[in-house]
């Protein structure tokens, strides 16, 4: 039937990663930028995990804590999500069962049947996030699709979206009709993209002024006449 791609806010959410190897390092890399409070628990946490964590924490919104000890099942109590990434398949299965009973989302490394959520192949550019999933059937295919899409996207797409987000409240305030707002957002987007292609800097102040001083009239003239 497939998995629906919910986009969930992780900032401040408590995540527990059980396992201290390369799989744990990859999960830490994907998650930290989204702001969760991560705890990695394992009797031996490999250097790659610690190094990865130290590098990412400098710019990441989230936090990361290491507990180098044997895992206890009660470590999962109160978690918002769990990742079972040990090299013990039986233990990973026990973690999954424990989480499912308590309705804690769980991801089990290399065992899609025990997962209640998957990690997508990600494209991240500022506020833009694109996730590609194959329901765990082919991680390579997901990575290939991610590379293809990433090559198609304009370099400035993240900055453009961030800029439009700053102007959005002005548009919502000035345009009462949904169809008018939709058209205006569309035109603002393409205007920003055109300016980017011409290497012309655009500011939120400029867009705000355009919206407030007769953007519709400007649109009928065409951006090339600006």
């Amino acid at each position: 039937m497939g998995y629906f791609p919910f986009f969930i806010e992780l900032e401040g959410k408590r995540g527990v990663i059980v396992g201290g190897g390369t799989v744990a390092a990859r999960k830490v890399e994907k998650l930290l930028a989204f702001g969760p409070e991560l705890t990695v628990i394992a009797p031996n946490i490999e250097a790659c995990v610690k190094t990865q964590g130290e590098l990412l924490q400098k710019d990441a919104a989230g936090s990361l804590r290491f507990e180098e000890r044997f895992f206890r099942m009660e470590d999962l109590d109160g978690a918002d999500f769990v990742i079972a990434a040990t090299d013990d398949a039986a233990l990973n299965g026990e973690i999954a069962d424990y989480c499912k009973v308590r309705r804690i989302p769980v991801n089990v490394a290399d065992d899609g049947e025990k997962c209640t959520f998957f990690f997508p192949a990600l494209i991240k550019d500022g506020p833009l996030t694109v996730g590609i999933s194959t329901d765990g059937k082919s991680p390579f295919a997901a990575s290939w699709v991610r590379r293809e899409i990433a090559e198609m996207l304009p370099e400035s797409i993240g900055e453009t979206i961030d800029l439009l987000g700053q102007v959005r409240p002005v548009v919502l305030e000035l345009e009462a009709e949904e169809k008018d707002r939709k058209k205006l957002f569309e035109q603002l987007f393409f205007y920003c993209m055109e300016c980017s292609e011409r290497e012309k800097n655009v500011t939120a102040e400029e867009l705000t002024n355009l919206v407030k001083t007769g953007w519709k009239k400007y649109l009928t003239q065409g951006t090339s006449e600006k």
Side-chain angles (χ1 to χ4, degrees):
M1 186 176 294
Y3 286 70
F4 187 84
F6 279 112
F7 281 76
I8 300 173
E9 183 180 6
L10 290 183
E11 186 173 359
K13 297 294 190 295
R14 180 173 175 250
V16 177
I17 301 176
V18 186
T22 55
V23 174
R26 291 199 299 271
K27 305 306 185 186
V28 167
E29 180 182 8
K30 285 194 172 186
L31 288 166
L32 264 187
F34 294 90
E37 298 174 358
L38 295 179
T39 301
V40 178
I41 303 173
N44 179 32
I45 299 175
E46 295 181 13
C48 65
V49 185
K50 294 179 179 178
T51 302
Q52 181 76 281
E54 290 171 359
L55 291 173
L56 291 170
Q57 281 194 98
K58 294 179 181 178
D59 300 314
S63 65
L64 178 62
R65 186 172 78 249
F66 300 110
E67 296 189 12
E68 206 155 12
R69 59 172 175 79
F70 284 102
F71 162 76
R72 300 183 294 268
M73 204 62 74
E74 56 264 33
D75 291 326
L76 306 181
D77 294 343
D80 293 300
F81 63 93
V82 171
I83 298 156
T86 77
D87 56 6
D88 184 337
L91 176 58
N92 287 344
E94 292 174 13
I95 292 171
D97 291 340
Y98 188 90
C99 289
K100 288 175 182 178
V101 169
R102 289 157 181 79
R103 298 181 181 272
I104 303 172
V106 60
N107 175 272
V108 181
D110 297 324
D111 195 337
E113 292 185 0
K114 289 186 172 63
C115 295
T116 59
F117 76 92
F118 289 119
F119 277 79
L122 286 177
I123 299 169
K124 187 82 170 73
D125 185 350
L128 175 68
T129 301
V130 180
I132 300 101
S133 173
T134 59
D135 290 352
K137 294 178 172 62
S138 178
F140 175 80
S143 295
W144 182 87
V145 172
R146 178 188 62 79
R147 290 193 298 270
E148 292 293 306
I149 293 175
E151 290 179 3
M152 294 169 54
L153 294 174
E155 291 184 7
S156 61
I157 186 67
E159 295 177 6
T160 294
I161 294 171
D162 188 57
L163 187 62
L164 293 171
Q166 296 177 55
V167 181
R168 185 175 180 83
V170 179
V171 175
L172 294 176
E173 181 181 350
L174 294 178
E175 294 290 352
E177 296 293 331
E178 182 180 357
K179 60 181 179 60
D180 293 331
R181 291 198 299 265
K182 182 179 179 181
K183 181 64 176 178
L184 183 49
F185 283 131
E186 176 185 333
Q187 297 291 353
L188 285 168
F189 174 78
F190 285 116
Y191 172 73
C192 289
M193 295 302 294
E194 180 182 323
C195 288
S196 177
E197 290 176 4
R198 293 185 296 164
E199 298 184 354
K200 176 185 181 298
N201 291 328
V202 185
T203 65
E205 183 180 3
E206 177 186 347
L207 289 184
T208 299
N209 289 336
L210 284 171
V211 170
K212 289 182 174 180
T213 58
W215 175 265
K216 291 180 180 179
K217 179 179 178 181
Y218 166 76
L219 289 178
T220 62
Q221 298 171 351
T223 57
S224 61
E225 295 179 18
K226 178 68 177 174

